[in-house]
Amino acid sequence: MEHASPHPLTWGGAGESPRQPRDPGLGEGDKEPRAEAAGEACVSVAARSPVAASLRVFRTKVTDARHPSRFLPSPCRVLVLLNPRGGTGKALQLFRNRVQPMLQEAGVSFTLRLTERRNHARELVREEDLSSWDALVVMSGDGLMHEVVNGLMERPDWETAIQKPLCSLPAGSGNALAASVNHYAGNEQVTNEDLLTNCTLLLCRRGLSPMNLLSLHTASGSRLFSVLSLGWGFVADVDVESEKYRCLGKIRFTLGTFLRLAALRTYQGTLSYLPAGAPSSKISAGSPLGHDQPGPVDSLLVPLEQPVPENWTVVPEHEFVLVLALLHSHLGSEMYAAPMAQGTGGIIHLFYLRAGVPRSMLLRLFMAMEKGTHMDLDCPNLVYVPAVAFRLEPHDTRGMLTVDGEQLASEAVQGQVHPEGFQLEAERIRTQPVTAYDDNSTLVENK
């Protein structure tokens, strides 16, 4: 988890009055950062600027039916939640030097708040008056977006709160969600400042796209939501064990991969899933999961102490190297793990790697993942299946479990995907049909 600065910060941006009220989160000894008045530049974009050129291209593209019809208002107001210690610790500098000028030029007014501890963003959005903002902008890694979404889902008004548009600006180590959004927009795979620039441009363009949301239930009784992935085994071990190398940025994952390859191990467990498009099966009598908790009802799931429904598939093997349930195309800024993913349509991209894979093949798989060609290696141990729900039951506590890069206790967990669960600042240029399924795993449409 990325930690934050010692003090919260509220900073008014383009288009806001310099006479903003003092942030109650600031102590008596803290100084309120000066709001920047941008004048006319806040309202209209300079005709010859790079942002203006990008917006003209977007307006031309938007006539194509492949693009979303939902947009933020213009001008708009956003709340930026930034973790100053995420990734290599340069997020605030990057915001001031790269993001802020683009927002000012595009007429996006902002207030900036720095998180100061684990789950601070979760607490903030749980109590925030969301009517003050047209969107919430999250500048950090994937863990901060995980906090924000779960904070929204914990509100009494979760059903409307989760529809508040969100934006991911990459400033962490993995930046998988931002890389996926960049990919959906038809941009080439880039990292670091280039990825940040592309994602900021998407915010300036104001286009919105619905995204899948994964609802999860654990054996200990907790419910949480994922915007990106659930990992168990090798991939989770690398994520958690490389935390000590956070100062290296995205290179930490490469180092962690080699270290875990040198001490390769397997994990015992049972994996079950409901394939996308499988015939519906009537769930036994009783209240559906999630009926007594904030969030949508998970009509495809039964309690963990019960066997999975008859229309589910139970993987016969019980020894794995890894299990990965992925909602989006990327697992990192340079890990194109699910080339078939579009982030919508109610699909979980479920990968599992059975025990017995040679280290040399595992290394080839991870190297090929940068270009998304790992499936072309035809590794007999690697299995991919599109699903709408799954259950993972570790047989012991040996392996690590992560959700959106955040470590959880190694215990039984199951999940169901909900299409159009939240809105993200994104453009979508489809290169292949997206197959959508409803909550009964029934084909809705190819769109």
Side-chain angles (χ1 to χ4, degrees):
M1 177 65 195
E2 295 164 345
H3 301 290
S5 71
H7 296 288
L9 172 65
T10 301
W11 187 5
E16 293 188 324
S17 167
R19 296 180 179 270
Q20 295 293 319
R22 180 175 177 80
D23 183 359
L26 293 174
E28 290 299 322
D30 295 324
K31 294 183 179 180
E32 184 81 7
R34 183 176 60 88
E36 301 292 339
E40 292 301 318
C42 303
V43 180
S44 61
V45 180
R48 296 184 181 180
S49 72
V51 176
S54 178
L55 291 174
R56 284 196 297 272
V57 171
F58 176 69
R59 293 188 186 105
T60 301
K61 286 183 177 181
V62 85
T63 59
D64 191 322
R66 295 174 299 177
H67 286 264
S69 57
R70 286 175 283 186
F71 299 90
L72 291 178
S74 178
C76 66
R77 302 168 299 168
V78 302
L79 173 63
V80 181
L81 300 172
L82 183 148
N83 180 358
R85 296 188 179 180
T88 58
K90 298 180 180 179
L92 184 56
Q93 177 184 345
L94 288 170
F95 180 85
R96 288 171 172 164
N97 295 340
R98 287 183 171 267
V99 177
Q100 183 181 350
M102 296 174 68
L103 297 185
Q104 290 175 329
E105 194 172 358
V108 179
S109 64
F110 67 89
T111 293
L112 176 64
R113 292 183 188 166
L114 305 188
T115 59
E116 60 178 359
R117 60 184 179 275
R118 183 188 295 269
N119 283 322
H120 189 194
R122 190 172 190 157
E123 298 164 5
L124 286 173
V125 300
R126 198 162 53 209
E127 304 297 332
E128 183 69 27
D129 178 9
L130 298 180
S131 64
S132 301
W133 316 107
D134 297 306
L136 304 179
V137 177
V138 180
M139 186 163 176
S140 185
D142 300 306
L144 201 64
M145 182 64 79
H146 175 85
E147 282 191 23
V148 168
V149 167
N150 280 275
L152 293 173
M153 295 301 291
E154 291 166 356
R155 294 169 59 106
D157 62 343
W158 67 267
E159 201 162 4
T160 54
I162 194 60
Q163 291 306 314
K164 178 65 61 174
L166 304 175
C167 176
S168 177
L169 296 184
S173 300
N175 303 318
L177 186 58
S180 298
V181 168
N182 182 66
H183 168 67
Y184 302 148
N187 298 323
E188 66 179 45
Q189 184 167 287
V190 292
T191 62
N192 302 326
E193 286 83 357
D194 290 335
L195 180 59
L196 177 61
T197 297
N198 285 357
C199 291
T200 306
L201 277 173
L202 292 176
L203 172 58
C204 294
R205 293 167 182 171
R206 299 183 173 84
L208 301 174
S209 289
M211 295 291 173
N212 292 331
L213 185 65
L214 180 60
S215 171
L216 295 167
H217 300 262
T218 68
S220 57
S222 64
R223 187 186 191 188
L224 65 156
F225 297 88
S226 168
V227 297
L228 179 64
S229 66
L230 178 142
W232 178 65
F234 186 95
V235 65
D237 287 354
V238 168
D239 200 354
V240 174
E241 293 171 352
S242 66
E243 181 74 21
K244 63 176 71 74
Y245 309 116
R246 177 172 292 278
C247 62
L248 300 178
K250 61 186 176 63
I251 300 176
R252 66 178 256 215
F253 299 111
T254 303
L255 177 59
T257 297
F258 279 100
L259 292 176
R260 179 45 53 201
L261 274 173
L264 186 61
R265 59 191 182 194
T266 58
Y267 311 84
Q268 301 289 328
T270 300
L271 176 64
S272 312
Y273 59 88
L274 179 60
S280 60
S281 176
K282 186 175 181 180
I283 302 297
S284 58
S287 300
L289 286 185
H291 77 282
D292 57 347
Q293 298 170 304
V297 171
D298 293 321
S299 59
L300 301 178
L301 304 180
V302 298
L304 280 164
E305 58 269 18
Q306 297 181 14
V308 295
E310 60 184 16
N311 61 332
W312 284 48
T313 298
V314 180
V315 177
E317 295 86 1
H318 295 282
E319 190 173 10
F320 303 90
V321 173
L322 66 84
V323 172
L324 175 65
L326 188 58
L327 296 179
H328 290 281
S329 60
H330 284 67
L331 191 58
S333 59
E334 293 182 298
M335 297 185 73
Y336 188 18
M340 68 294 290
Q342 291 288 329
T344 189
I347 298 294
I348 302 168
H349 301 278
L350 185 61
F351 299 85
Y352 59 93
L353 189 61
R354 295 178 292 219
V357 59
R359 285 184 175 84
S360 58
M361 173 56 77
L362 188 53
L363 179 59
R364 290 177 63 198
L365 286 171
F366 275 88
M367 292 179 65
M369 196 178 291
E370 180 179 350
K371 302 297 183 183
T373 58
H374 48 292
M375 301 301 294
D376 298 336
L377 298 178
D378 295 324
C379 173
N381 300 76
L382 178 61
V383 180
Y384 161 73
V385 59
V388 293
F390 73 95
R391 176 186 289 186
L392 175 63
E393 300 169 275
H395 292 176
D396 53 46
T397 59
R398 186 182 183 192
M400 296 186 186
L401 188 68
T402 57
V403 174
D404 299 342
E406 302 299 290
Q407 185 177 3
L408 298 183
S410 182
E411 60 179 339
V413 60
Q414 61 180 348
Q416 173 181 334
V417 65
H418 292 273
E420 302 190 5
F422 69 105
Q423 296 186 86
L424 202 61
E425 292 283 342
E427 300 170 17
R428 194 180 301 282
I429 299 179
R430 294 185 183 136
T431 57
Q432 56 186 344
V434 175
T435 303
Y437 296 88
D438 64 16
D439 283 348
N440 294 316
S441 189
T442 302
L443 177 65
V444 177
E445 60 178 332
N446 282 13
K447 54 185 179 178

